[in-house]
Amino acid sequence: MIEKNLIIIGGGPAGLAAAKAAYDEGERDILILEREQNLGGILNQCIHNGFGLHTFKEELTGPEYAGRYVKEVVARGIEYKLGATVINVTKDKVITCVSEAEGLAKYKAKAIILACGCRERPRGGINIAGSRCAGIFSAGTAQKLVNIDGYMVGKEVVILGSGDIGLIMARRMTFEGAKVKAVVELMPYSSGLNRNIVQCLNDFDIPLKFSHTVVDINGEGRVSSVVIAQVDEKLNPIMSTAEEIKCDTLLLSVGLLPENELSKMAGVELSPITGGGIVDDDMMTGVEGIFQCGNILHVHDLVDFVSEESDLAGRRAVAYIRNGKISKDYVDVSATGGVRYVVPQKISRQTDCATLKLKMRVANVFRNKRLVVEADGEEIFSKKRPVVAPGEMETISLNATHLDKIKKASKVVVSLKEA
């Protein structure tokens, strides 16, 4: 068994940022395990721009953003293994990994950072009726086929779901000569960034149908049409509104799921809302020495925020390696009143953070609200928001004064209130 101080599972933007931060904090015994043949993760297929405005103060494509972190990792001499698939993680921080180069290998780590990202919800997860024909892709799979492999997935396209990948693929397919007939969204609001609706749909006159869904898929061999219908307030289809759209391709952009199978193996407690781990202000899960960051923890809208969060995880993992187990007394942080979830879910009364960021998403589109933090019923923070929407993550920055009040409280609640 090979012993390492810090093992990072995942060589995407989260894992790379965590590795860089851990190295800069003074840790040298670091190993990144990445199952793909290149570092960079999903960013390698995101050839559109819009990345890096927060981190680098300039606009980059996905590969450019990933490339900057890869260069930083390589320049520091941080060890990484490609084509290395982790198949098991225990609560004792023993990792089992398989690769073509080394076969089966086992590692024992002092600390583990899980940075495995997320996966797309497939057709089977949403139970659409109809033929099991060719021409049905998740939006991310279509993105890889077009941008990496050079295959065109279809000529007449309907997209179900207005997640960011679906919106971006509507534009990408248009650039490649396809006709995007419609983007169909179950909810009365988009789950993607507003800028993507403007730049990817409005600029190309692609219709976005809210409160609609696909109720049937037709085709023998390949998709020939889909049937869409409006839904009621309980999201049930109103079949009298059914409309058939001729197409040869259906792309699904119906949600991302944090990749937490390894977390479950290690005994990490998961949030029923985010699907990610329940973590403290150090990004450590309930399993001592196992940390999470990035989309495995909760799905982010901007990769810049993934890097920022992962930087913290890397630095705190090094502190854990140096100091060992530190007994902590936690204050629970919960969400209510229109806020779906908040991360982290626990704040240590012993925290030495000068500032702490709480990240959250709301449950609907709200106007003229305040994001409020209360400690034992006392309002300690408030921020006016003219509009909040589920597609955009909200952030609250707490300073030392706020944290002093939180440390004395028994519970902290984040909510939306009238402005």
Side-chain angles (χ1 to χ4, degrees):
M1 188 178 296
I2 304 167
E3 294 188 356
K4 289 283 181 180
N5 281 355
L6 175 61
I7 294 180
I8 299 169
I9 302 176
L16 295 172
K20 174 180 177 293
Y23 185 97
D24 291 348
E25 198 71 8
E27 181 57 60
R28 296 294 180 266
D29 191 15
I30 304 169
L31 172 63
I32 302 171
L33 297 173
E34 168 56 48
R35 67 183 179 186
E36 298 294 336
Q37 295 303 318
N38 297 285
L39 294 174
I42 198 69
L43 290 182
N44 290 326
Q45 69 186 52
C46 300
I47 64 173
H48 54 280
N49 59 5
F51 301 92
L53 290 171
H54 295 267
T55 306
F56 298 110
K57 309 305 179 189
E58 60 180 303
E59 196 171 27
L60 305 171
T61 65
E64 286 173 332
Y65 187 98
R68 294 204 178 182
Y69 272 98
V70 171
K71 286 180 181 177
E72 296 284 357
V73 165
V74 171
R76 287 162 173 76
I78 297 171
E79 183 183 4
Y80 61 88
K81 294 184 183 295
L82 301 176
T85 301
V86 176
I87 59 174
N88 191 42
V89 177
T90 72
K91 63 178 59 179
D92 297 324
K93 298 185 281 295
V94 174
I95 294 171
T96 306
C97 177
V98 293
S99 66
E100 184 177 356
E102 298 182 351
L104 187 70
K106 285 203 170 186
Y107 299 90
K108 179 75 169 75
K110 291 182 179 178
I112 295 172
I113 298 177
L114 296 169
C116 309
C118 58
R119 65 181 187 272
E120 295 180 279
R121 182 179 281 112
R123 176 184 179 180
I126 53 176
N127 297 321
I128 304 175
S131 301
R132 296 181 65 184
C133 45
I136 305 170
F137 304 88
S138 69
T141 299
Q143 186 182 57
K144 181 178 184 295
L145 288 169
V146 174
N147 293 349
I148 300 291
D149 300 327
Y151 295 109
M152 187 57 176
V153 297
K155 296 179 180 178
E156 293 187 307
V157 184
V158 172
I159 298 175
L160 176 60
S162 61
D164 287 313
I165 304 173
L167 298 174
I168 288 163
M169 281 307 293
R171 178 179 62 184
R172 187 76 181 101
M173 295 295 287
T174 302
F175 283 164
E176 290 298 326
K179 173 66 175 176
V180 179
K181 298 288 193 73
V183 175
V184 182
E185 171 56 55
L186 178 69
M187 304 304 291
Y189 52 80
S190 173
S191 57
L193 292 169
N194 188 60
R195 76 180 190 195
N196 284 333
I197 295 174
V198 173
Q199 296 172 4
C200 301
L201 301 188
N202 297 352
D203 287 357
F204 299 94
D205 296 323
I206 298 170
L208 173 57
K209 294 179 177 288
F210 288 124
S211 298
H212 280 72
T213 192
V214 173
V215 295
D216 199 5
I217 301 171
N218 301 314
E220 294 184 10
R222 187 176 179 97
V223 174
S224 60
S225 69
V226 299
V227 179
I228 69 170
Q230 194 173 343
V231 298
D232 60 22
E233 63 277 0
K234 294 183 179 179
L235 305 183
N236 295 315
I238 305 169
M239 295 310 296
S240 61
T241 66
E243 170 191 357
E244 185 176 12
I245 301 177
K246 298 290 184 182
C247 62
D248 62 16
T249 304
L250 175 65
L251 301 188
L252 304 177
S253 179
V254 290
L256 299 169
L257 306 172
E259 190 69 84
N260 267 299
E261 295 308 310
L262 295 176
S263 304
K264 293 176 186 176
M265 293 176 187
V268 172
E269 183 183 0
L270 302 181
S271 163
I273 306 298
T274 64
I278 293 176
V279 297
D280 63 15
D281 49 292
D282 287 342
M283 312 308 294
M284 187 162 72
T285 68
V287 180
E288 182 195 339
I290 297 182
F291 299 75
Q292 281 196 353
C293 58
N295 283 351
I296 190 177
L297 179 59
H298 60 124
V299 177
H300 294 62
D301 47 2
L302 298 178
V303 72
D304 303 74
F305 298 152
V306 168
S307 299
E308 179 185 57
E309 183 177 278
S310 304
D311 180 279
L312 174 62
R315 289 186 285 108
R316 291 304 182 176
V318 173
Y320 170 81
I321 292 168
R322 289 173 180 165
N323 301 324
K325 183 178 179 180
I326 299 174
S327 179
K328 292 184 178 181
D329 181 21
Y330 289 113
V331 181
D332 289 331
V333 184
S334 60
T336 188
V339 180
R340 286 189 67 238
Y341 73 82
V342 60
V343 174
Q345 296 93 341
K346 296 176 180 292
I347 298 175
S348 169
R349 298 184 199 277
Q350 292 79 35
T351 184
D352 58 357
C353 293
T355 61
L356 175 65
K357 289 190 176 182
L358 301 180
K359 298 178 180 179
M360 65 213 67
R361 285 187 190 262
V362 296
N364 209 325
V365 177
F366 298 99
R367 299 182 185 278
N368 299 318
K369 295 287 186 179
R370 290 184 302 127
L371 274 170
V372 174
V373 180
E374 295 174 298
D376 286 347
E378 177 193 354
E379 189 174 303
I380 63 170
F381 179 93
S382 175
K383 179 169 77 170
K384 287 186 179 181
R385 299 291 286 120
V387 180
V388 289
E392 302 198 22
M393 195 169 68
E394 296 290 330
T395 301
I396 288 174
S397 294
L398 302 177
N399 60 30
T401 302
H402 301 135
L403 291 171
D404 284 342
K405 292 181 179 180
I406 287 173
K407 291 175 185 179
K408 299 172 185 175
S410 58
K411 67 175 181 178
V412 173
V413 177
V414 181
S415 65
L416 281 174
K417 294 190 176 183
E418 294 298 326

